[in-house]
Amino acid sequence: MTATSPGARDASLSTDSMTAWVQRTYGGPDTVRREQIDVPAPSRGEVLLRLRATGVNNGDTRVMRGEPLLLRLAFGLRRPTQPVRGMDAAGTVIALGDGVTGFAPGDEVVCELPGGGGLAGYAVAPVKRLVRRPAALDPLVAAALPIAGGTAWQALERGGVAEGMRVLVIGASGGVGTFTVQLATLRGADVWALCGERSRELVERLGASRTFDYRTVQPGSPELGDAAFDVVIDIAGTSSLRSLQSLVRDGGAVVLVSGEGGRLIGPMGRILAATLRSIGSRRPLRPLAAVAKPDVLAELLALAADERLVPVIEHTWPLAEAGDALAHVDGLHAVGKTVVTIA
């Protein structure tokens, strides 16, 4: 297979400019504006994608705001190094950078874009992150999977969730939570869940055997019992570490998917405290740092193509209204996933 040199354009690319939602400074959704910018060129080991759909995650809004400030060490000290938000992407390969093998123009793929770039007509992606999209799977559905689905999968692995276990998911109605409930159920676990009252019926349809309104039931409430779970997956990140440990049996574990914290270091203080509390404990707290894993994404895509895993997509927006999609996720009350469709 012959690679296309950097800067080259596939015959199917008829323009050198594209619509993109661009951010020149950190801040709220009002700092992200629709602009016409140059189509990027793939470097060595990269491909150029014509995007078809992009999922929007809480991580995108954290980068947008540059908070916690520690995050800026990775994404840009004064402004985002990658000015276009959106990391979950489904698209069509249209050009190859030097050294790319295994893919060709026309291939339909899904990936997690490092740093962003997805709220645009085109984006470059490292070939090592690409996974082929099953023909039976709609790109809109596929774009909901990479980060939230991958985080849920890795959380269950971190907790060692297996058939017959009782698992509590705290924060079960968001993107990661809805995937966690489904994937834990597929593993044969008995899933209990904390979520908003309006989402209880949805979460039960996804597989939870019992649900509770988080406004009235929290770790430490009698409804949950003491030492009643083999694994707790904490996505909400607001409960005390002591109360979380009290929920699991000896030999069980608490997986910390996220956590609150100060504006400077965010959840790092909570992670350090969890590490110290776990020394010698039979109920360890295990922080999760989810990373892009193409092999896991391939498994998720296969499950979705077989309709064994169904992403909960609350809202879709066209690219022309992607700023509204960011504002919706930034509001922290989204149920399931938010996806932007790109013509």
Side-chain angles (χ1 to χ4, degrees), residues 42-124:
S43 298
R44 183 173 185 83
E46 295 180 333
V47 304
L48 178 64
L49 302 177
R50 175 181 284 114
L51 295 171
R52 302 188 63 178
T54 297
V56 182
N57 298 277
N58 288 335
D60 294 308
T61 61
R62 287 184 180 274
V63 175
M64 175 182 73
R65 290 186 174 276
E67 295 180 358
L69 297 178
L70 185 65
L71 172 149
R72 301 188 186 192
L73 294 176
F75 291 94
L77 292 178
R78 305 183 68 177
R79 62 184 65 84
T81 303
Q82 164 56 271
V84 180
R85 302 280 59 77
M87 291 183 275
D88 285 349
T92 308
V93 176
I94 62 169
L96 311 178
D98 286 342
V100 171
T101 60
F103 290 90
D107 288 345
E108 297 291 336
V109 298
V110 186
C111 69
E112 181 181 331
L113 300 170
L119 294 181
Y122 301 87
V124 292

Side-chain angles (χ1 to χ4, degrees), residues 240-290:
S240 73
L241 300 179
R242 181 185 298 274
S243 66
L244 291 171
Q245 281 183 304
S246 72
L247 291 169
V248 295
R249 303 182 178 101
D250 285 349
V254 178
V255 179
L256 305 175
V257 175
S258 63
E260 298 298 319
R263 186 167 180 263
L264 178 60
I265 63 172
M268 291 304 298
R270 181 178 172 88
I271 291 171
L272 177 59
T275 301
L276 293 175
R277 286 188 64 88
S278 297
I279 297 174
S281 173
R282 298 189 64 186
R283 303 177 183 186
L285 297 146
R286 298 175 179 169
L288 174 68

